[in-house]
């Protein structure tokens, strides 16, 4: 979704803003713009399209020159992508950029039109600019005007603002939408996310809801809604510029696939003590686990798919009932939850609107909430009762890979801990599972090495397909859901994942020679059953790509192509098998010439419902 940045310091502000926006491209956008103070006057440049279109436009028409300004990448919500609808937007003396959605913009617009104001764009953002200008006209103090304006706004916003009479000063305020304040030496920044500014500084403040920040080259001041100064705690990002660069890889996605062993290590190792998981630093104690009645895992997209694996594992070894819910469904279905229930919210960004709303609903109903989040300091992380950070580092590719992998790792840690606390596994088994989990970084590394070539070959066979099917049973089915999503979001080939045993109840009628089937069969107890289902689709002409274990003896007539993964503890196999599924999706998208890291219509962080 939209990205916002702001800069005030000694460098060329246009260059800094464009460079910072480049680091936010992963969020998905369809237009971009900047506003820079030039000799005390706010100079705006904006364009539909990508940042390179904006840069070309500025090369032709002149780049705003100055040392302070704001910038934006827009993911259209109100009004089509166009030059006019691009941010920044202005009232007479106020110019701003916005990430979020103003729910009551229509009524505010009507009020402003009656007051004699005219609008150029279809956006809710221009309404905020005009409203702020309206209050600024008679309050004249910019901070008071911002505070007064936010009192009228319903919805979510992160705003970067410049006022005509305050050259080389950037103002910012947020509610719901993320915003950080980067703190440098003689220069300061605002950004939707830390990667935008990591090239310049690792130090930042988190802005709380409705706090107003005032940035100049020599300092940052923050005020609460009563105009009282707020003392902020400086945070430091613990990763470097390489973490947000491609480091020689052609795409972020393949870089991130290769970072998975390190991501697992960083996530699991600090949580293992004396050979056993220890989640006490996350506020999770065996006593609390024993009291849990039902577990609900609530999330969206890939994060929800990690919950599907979690469900199978927790039910299997901890004998606890687990429901997996899509957050956008959960929040509106009046779920039967309350005291004694645990709601696990999984999110890479920690800002997904539906997941956040689901978590707030769960809290309201008296349930305990546990967040499994990657982005430090994000809203979901801050509001949950208990928190387990996944340490994947920044994930830039829209298609999630390493974040999914570490979400799986945490599902296992949690499931082992839960099972031991509930007495469904003994200490020996508990330590054994944990030791196997500690082996996964090496096993995932070996899987990347051993499956890349065959994944490339398989993808060559898929590039002309219009549609394909993923099938599996149990854990393999849970995993196939993610394989299918990965393929469709970046290759634009339609695919579905189906429980193999369910095919006969309708979906098998779709099978023709034109529909490849990727069958995942890694679980011994279900192997024969899945092979029978594979034979059924094979008999109806499907081209079958089968994924199974190295030791499986696959009869020649079962599959057209067999991809084998290393033998390993079966319950942990999803962590290995997701690798070739990611690679197949990646190479298919590459061969189809798609924009792998920023697939069409998608945004990395879905901050609107
Ligand atoms: C992943 O490849 C997707 N782009 C998407 O499904 C994502 O997982 C989903 O939007 C949830 O995001 P979150 O983890 O940041 O909450």
């Amino acid at each position: 979704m939209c990205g916002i940045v702001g800069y005030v310091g000694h460098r060329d502000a246009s260059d800094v803003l464009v460079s910072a926006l480049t680091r936010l491209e992963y969020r998905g956008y369809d237009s971009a713009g900047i506003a820079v103070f030039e000799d005390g006057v706010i100079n705006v440049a904006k364009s539909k399209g990508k940042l390179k279109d904006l840069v070309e436009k500025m090369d032709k028409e002149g780049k705003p020159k100055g040392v302070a300004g704001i910038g934006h990448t827009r993911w259209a919500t109100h009004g089509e992508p166009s030059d006019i609808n691009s941010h920044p937007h202005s009232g007479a003396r106020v110019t701003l950029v916005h990430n979020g959605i103003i729910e009551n913009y229509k009524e505010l617009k009507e009020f402003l039109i009656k007051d004699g104001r005219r609008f150029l764009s279809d956006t809710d953002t221009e309404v905020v600019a005009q409203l702020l200008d309206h209050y600024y006209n008679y309050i004249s103090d910019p901070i008071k005007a911002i505070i007064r304006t936010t009192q009228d706004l319903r919805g979510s916003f992160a705003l970067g603002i410049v006022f005509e009479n305050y050259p080389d000063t950037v103002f910012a305020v947020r509610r719901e939408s993320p915003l950080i304040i980067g703190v440098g030496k003689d220069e300061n920044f605002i950004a939707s996310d830390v990667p935008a500014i990591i090239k310049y500084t690792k130090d930042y403040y988190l802005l709380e809801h409705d706090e107003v920040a005032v940035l100049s080259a020599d300092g940052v001041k923050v005020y609460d809604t009563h105009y009282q100064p707020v003392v902020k705690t400086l945070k430091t990002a613990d990763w470097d510029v390489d973490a947000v660069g491609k480091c020689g890889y052609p795409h972020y996605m393949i870089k991130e696939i290769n970072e998975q062993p390190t991501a697992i290590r960083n996530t699991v190792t600090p949580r293992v003590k004396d050979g056993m998981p220890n989640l006490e630093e996350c506020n999770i104690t065996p006593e609390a686990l024993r009291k849990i009645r039902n577990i609900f895992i609530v999330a969206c997209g890939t994060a929800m798919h990690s919950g599907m694996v979690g469900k199978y594992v927790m039910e299997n070894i901890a004998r606890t009932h687990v429901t997996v819910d899509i957050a956008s469904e959960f929040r509106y279905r009046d779920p039967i939850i309350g005291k004694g229930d645990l709601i696990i919210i999984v999110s890479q960004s920690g800002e997904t609107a539906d997941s956040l709303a689901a978590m707030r609903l769960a809290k309201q109903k008296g349930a305990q909430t546990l967040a499994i989040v990657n982005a430090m300091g994000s809203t979901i992380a801050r509001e949950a009762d208990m928190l387990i950070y996944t340490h994947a580092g920044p994930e830039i590719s829209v298609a999630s890979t390493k974040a999914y992998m570490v979400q799986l790792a945490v599902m296992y840690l949690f499931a082992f801990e839960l099972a031991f606390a509930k007495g469904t596994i003994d200490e020996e088994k508990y330590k054994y599972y944990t030791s196997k989990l500690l082996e996964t970084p090496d096993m995932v590394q070996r899987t990347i090495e051993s499956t890349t070539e065959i994944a490339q070959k398989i993808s060559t066979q898929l590039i002309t397909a219009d549609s394909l099917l993923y099938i599996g049973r149990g854990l393999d089915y849970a995993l196939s859901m993610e394989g299918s999503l990965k393929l469709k979001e970046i290759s634009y080939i339609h695919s579905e994942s189906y429980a193999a045993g369910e095919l006969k109840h309708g979906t098998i009628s779709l099978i023709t020679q034109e529909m490849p089937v990727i069958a995942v069969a890694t679980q011994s107890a279900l192997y024969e059953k899945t092979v029978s289902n594979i034979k059924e689709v094979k008999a109806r002409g499907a081209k079958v790509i089968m994924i199974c274990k190295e030791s499986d003896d696959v009869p020649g007539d079962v599959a057209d192509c067999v991809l084998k993964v290393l033998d390993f503890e079966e319950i942990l196999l999803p962590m290995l098998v997701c690798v070739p599924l990611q690679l197949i999706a990646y190479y298919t998208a590459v061969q189809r010439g798609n924009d792998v890291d920023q697939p069409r219509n998608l945004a990395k962080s879905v901050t609107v419902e």
Side-chain angles (χ1 to χ4, degrees), residues 237-377:
D238 60 358
W239 22 270
D240 55 24
V241 182
D242 279 355
V244 294
K246 284 192 199 149
C247 300
Y249 287 96
H251 300 102
Y252 282 108
M253 182 174 173
I254 191 69
K255 174 183 179 241
E256 288 161 5
I257 289 173
N258 278 283
E259 285 171 345
Q260 293 183 114
T262 309
I264 306 169
R265 226 169 260 124
N266 291 346
T267 302
V268 174
T269 319
R271 272 78 182 249
V272 175
K273 296 206 173 81
D274 304 323
M276 294 176 280
N278 187 318
L279 300 173
E280 284 191 7
E281 48 123 11
C282 313
N283 257 345
I284 300 167
T285 59
E287 297 71 48
L289 290 174
R290 274 191 283 276
K291 287 188 196 138
I292 295 173
R293 208 171 50 174
N294 291 306
I295 295 179
F296 294 75
I297 304 178
V298 185
C300 304
T302 291
M304 189 270 290
H305 292 157
S306 76
M308 287 300 297
V309 173
K311 169 187 167 74
Y312 278 93
V313 178
M314 286 176 213
E315 293 200 336
N316 187 286
I317 66 167
R319 309 312 297 158
T320 303
H321 182 70
V322 180
T323 306
V324 179
D325 261 287
I326 295 168
S328 54
E329 289 295 313
F330 179 87
R331 63 182 288 197
Y332 292 117
R333 75 171 166 82
D334 195 8
I336 306 166
I337 52 169
K339 215 165 174 282
D341 294 327
L342 176 70
I343 315 301
I344 304 180
I345 306 287
V346 191
S347 177
Q348 187 286 126
S349 62
E351 301 291 348
T352 301
D354 284 318
S355 305
L356 176 60
M359 185 175 82
R360 287 178 177 163
L361 175 75
K363 288 181 93 170
Q364 237 173 50
K365 285 181 173 266
Q368 282 280 99
T369 55
L370 161 64
I372 299 175
V373 170
N374 194 47
M376 302 271 169

Side-chain angles (χ1 to χ4, degrees), residues 299-304 346-352 355 380 398-401 407 482 485-486 489 602-606:
C300 304
T302 291
M304 189 270 290
V346 191
S347 177
Q348 187 286 126
S349 62
E351 301 291 348
T352 301
S355 305
I380 294 177
V398 166
S400 182
T401 53
Q407 284 160 0
E482 177 55 11
L485 177 66
K486 212 82 305 169
E489 70 176 328
L602 290 179
K604 179 73 181 159
S605 170
V606 184

Side-chain angles (χ1 to χ4, degrees), residues 402-452:
K402 61 175 179 171
Y404 172 72
M405 180 66 90
V406 288
Q407 284 160 0
L408 292 185
V410 170
M411 289 292 161
Y412 288 108
L413 274 175
F414 183 81
F416 301 161
E417 181 85 334
L418 179 70
F420 186 57
K422 291 210 154 193
T424 54
I425 56 173
D426 59 19
E427 188 173 326
E428 195 187 338
K429 194 83 186 173
Y430 184 46
K431 285 188 166 169
Y432 170 75
Y433 278 146
T434 310
S435 70
K436 287 289 159 189
L437 186 60
L438 288 168
E439 284 176 30
T440 55
D442 290 338
M443 294 301 286
V444 168
Q445 182 60 46
R446 288 175 59 196
T447 308
I448 296 171
E449 285 157 17
S450 62
T451 60
T452 295

